[in-house]
Amino acid sequence: MIYVTGDTHGDIERFRSPDFRKIRKGDTLIICGDFGFIWNGSKTEISTLKKLSAKDYTIAFIDGCHENFDLLEKYPIEIWKGGRIHRISRNIVHLMRGEVYTIENRKIFAFGGGHSHDYEFRRDSENWWEREQPTYDEITSGLRNLSDNNNKVDYIITHEPPASLKDCLRVDVFERLEVHAFLEELIKTCQYERWFFGKCHIDKYIPMKFCAIFNRVIRL
């Protein structure tokens, strides 16, 4: 089975909630950004990652706006399920931006990254990375990978929502970046069954194909 949930922000307690207990051996859990367990490289963090690495299911996350990209990019790049990943441990992988993965015969387009809502407070500190925002090359790579799949996938997993969904949910309505326009264009050019995103920190189904997800764990 494949499951999807929202931002975990380094909170190990999330994995002890009843919703997570339905995930079984051999399943895959996809996290829609802000994984948060690769942040400062502390002994506590290393210990927590070891606990997650002991899970008998796969944890696959896209990056969000609160990741330590200096640490994340030190992990080795591999091909997994047809797309590039950073291999964190035996069962933990980072799904890289613009890649298409085939998991249990389902094609999944993953595109992490975005813009921190607290950018004004973090930009001059040591815990903000310009690389949180997707680049032109990452966007064009994503378009190329979708084209190679005839612009048709089963699921789209992103951190940010498309521009029109920001208006619908009334979140960050004045914030418009290249990534929002890119995701908005995918609504028109790509065929998909369902689109999940985590940035808004709410659990809400938006007809017909969109789902803002945070605490819930949904089976695809």
Side-chain angles (χ1 to χ4, degrees):
M1 301 290 185
I2 307 171
Y3 294 88
V4 62
T5 191
D7 305 6
T8 48
H9 286 285
D11 181 8
I12 191 67
E13 292 302 316
R14 285 280 299 280
F15 288 82
R16 300 187 179 108
S17 71
D19 256 6
F20 279 77
R21 292 174 189 161
K22 62 190 176 186
I23 307 172
R24 303 300 183 193
K25 182 178 181 180
D27 290 342
T28 299
L29 172 68
I30 299 176
I31 298 172
C32 294
D34 285 350
F35 180 58
F37 291 96
I38 300 172
W39 184 251
N40 56 25
S42 65
K43 290 182 179 179
T44 299
E45 184 171 273
I46 292 170
S47 175
T48 302
L49 277 172
K50 285 183 179 179
K51 292 176 183 177
L52 292 180
S53 297
K55 301 289 185 184
D56 54 10
Y57 55 83
T58 297
I59 299 170
F61 68 94
I62 61 172
D63 54 278
C65 308
H66 292 80
E67 317 285 2
N68 185 328
F69 289 93
D70 290 338
L71 292 179
L72 185 58
E73 291 170 1
K74 288 181 180 179
Y75 287 93
I77 295 177
E78 300 178 7
I79 298 298
W80 178 81
K81 307 293 185 182
R84 294 181 308 143
I85 60 160
H86 283 111
R87 170 70 67 179
I88 310 303
S89 70
R90 173 192 61 83
N91 69 318
I92 304 176
V93 299
H94 167 231
L95 307 179
M96 297 177 69
R97 297 172 185 173
E99 297 293 310
V100 176
Y101 306 90
T102 302
I103 305 174
E104 296 187 15
N105 297 316
R106 307 292 269 175
K107 287 189 176 182
I108 297 172
F109 176 70
F111 202 90
H115 179 71
S116 298
H117 70 276
D118 54 357
Y119 163 77
E120 295 294 333
F121 304 100
R122 293 174 57 214
R123 64 178 178 177
D124 296 324
S125 69
E126 295 181 355
N127 66 353
W128 179 81
W129 289 263
E130 186 177 357
R131 298 194 298 286
E132 71 173 28
Q133 298 187 14
T135 65
Y136 174 79
D137 287 343
E138 289 169 338
I139 289 173
T140 54
S141 176
L143 290 171
R144 184 168 56 250
N145 289 332
L146 283 171
S147 178
D148 290 343
N149 286 275
N150 299 312
N151 290 312
K152 184 177 182 179
V153 293
D154 294 294
Y155 300 102
I156 295 178
I157 305 289
T158 62
H159 184 59
E160 290 277 359
S164 59
L165 270 292
K166 293 165 72 68
D167 294 332
C168 173
L169 296 169
R170 298 182 180 178
V171 293
D172 300 332
V173 293
F174 299 111
E175 176 191 284
R176 289 291 185 272
L177 301 172
E178 187 176 18
V179 64
H180 300 126
F182 161 61
L183 297 179
E184 186 69 20
E185 188 64 21
L186 292 189
I187 297 176
K188 307 170 189 175
T189 60
C190 187
Q191 297 180 54
Y192 53 92
E193 182 178 327
R194 191 66 60 86
W195 184 325
F196 294 89
F197 56 91
K199 170 77 178 292
C200 301
H201 287 193
I202 58 173
D203 292 292
K204 186 176 180 63
Y205 171 65
I206 305 104
M208 294 293 296
K209 295 183 175 183
F210 300 95
C211 187
I213 190 166
F214 185 36
N215 288 311
R216 294 183 63 195
V217 178
I218 297 175
R219 189 181 74 171
L220 300 187

